[in-house]
Amino acid sequence: MNFTKLPQLVDMRGKLKSKGTYSKRTKTITHRVWHHSLTKKHLGGSDAASFADYHVGTLGWPGIGYTFIIEPKNVVNTPNGKRARIVYTHDIDRRTYHVGNSNQFALGICVAGDYRYDTMDDATIASIADLHSALVKDNIGKNDTSHSEMPGYSWKACCVYDYRKHIEWQGSTTPVTPSPAPDTYTIQEGDTLWGIAHKDGAGGVKVEDLIKANPGINPAKLQIGQKINFGSSKDVVQPDINTKEDTKPSSSGDEVVRSIQMTLNSRYKFGLVVDGIKGPKTKSALIKAVQTELNKQFNKKLVVDGKWGAKTKAAIVTVKKGAKGNLAWTLQAALYLEGFNPGPLDSIFGKGTESALIKFQKAREISADKKAGKVTFTKLFAA
Ligand SMILES: [Zn+2]
């Protein structure tokens, strides 16, 4: 095996927290699935040992769900240069839990970190490339996919880094869309959602995932023969199933800011943390929303980068009283974030929006013309 010879690899098979063993795969590995942990890379919990504690202790799985974990905070000096440590946790032929009903043929690799916010360092990138090329040489898997590219997981914010960029492709197959695995399950006698979530082939799906993916069902009254989804509720952006983050309900911060963040996530899939705190990330996401709308509604060809640059400024349209829709909503949200409450964020430019806008324009000493055009939007969005 080439991968076992990587100098930055640490064999921790049998050494991490476990509760029994995973069964053997009944299928050959065809997919290498890339995850990120959604835990900030330098924090205490961003390593294999913590993920194992969580998967076993909290989720009740037999062992850690990923076969490989790349740990950016543990940098190793190797003859090839600095590398992030790679932890090897289970024999390759063990069907660990990480992508629900695709576990049988999918190898789980997790890069510790929350790449909505963390940036990827060279030692981590090098370890991704090294592990990938070793697995290719070892003939383990054919295609690379991110968690959210696997059947049933398009709603997952995992992984959000562009793993394709960091992979050494020599000798490897170009990534293709994975062959569809069934996304539904037919209820059988005696089934409960808990039982289904812990079934063979469903490993890694959580009861909460099932409830979210099946808004119409009554968990207490499952009907035999009824088909349920394994997880395709399109509008939910959640942290990875395998991390502590998603068990922490957020009730902090400002209610309206939280609703802005949730709307940005469900409408545009930005994967913002819903913390109710107005900061540069929320503002930047709002600019991305404006850019997306300008592209969609007005055929502009803006780069959706969340920055208020000259091109975006040139492309902005005037939003005035009576306007309805997503652009009116972004104006309302931007006014709110600047401290000028337009009333309910209802996507309609009415009296409340107008009066908040006039107050904003006066406070910023620009013409109080009751319309939001280039000047006003620039005051709202330029840092
Ligand atoms: Zn994942």
Side-chain angles (χ1 to χ4, degrees), residues 214-276:
N214 297 279
I217 63 160
N218 178 348
K221 287 186 186 160
L222 296 176
Q223 310 281 330
I224 295 169
Q226 184 181 16
K227 277 206 176 16
I228 64 163
N229 299 315
F230 261 132
S232 52
S233 52
K234 295 277 186 264
D235 284 332
V236 186
V237 175
Q238 271 195 333
D240 200 15
I241 46 169
N242 306 324
T243 70
K244 293 178 184 177
E245 290 298 308
D246 64 342
T247 57
K248 245 191 267 162
S250 163
S251 56
S252 57
D254 181 302
E255 187 72 33
V256 178
V257 176
R258 275 170 55 208
S259 86
I260 291 171
Q261 291 166 331
M262 284 193 279
T263 302
L264 288 167
N265 284 347
S266 68
R267 196 175 284 162
Y268 305 102
K269 309 239 184 301
F270 288 157
L272 280 173
V273 171
V274 178
D275 58 6

Side-chain angles (χ1 to χ4, degrees), residues 35 147 158 240:
H35 297 260
H147 189 178
C158 179
D240 200 15

Side-chain angles (χ1 to χ4, degrees), residues 30-34 99 101-102 105-106 142-154 163-164 174-183:
T30 52
H31 291 74
R32 295 174 290 257
V33 180
W34 298 86
V99 279
N101 53 353
S102 300
F105 57 86
K142 285 192 173 58
N143 307 299
D144 293 278
T145 54
S146 78
H147 189 178
S148 61
E149 291 167 323
M150 293 302 284
Y153 285 102
S154 57
Y163 67 89
R164 289 181 175 86
T174 313
V176 294
T177 313
S179 53
D183 277 355

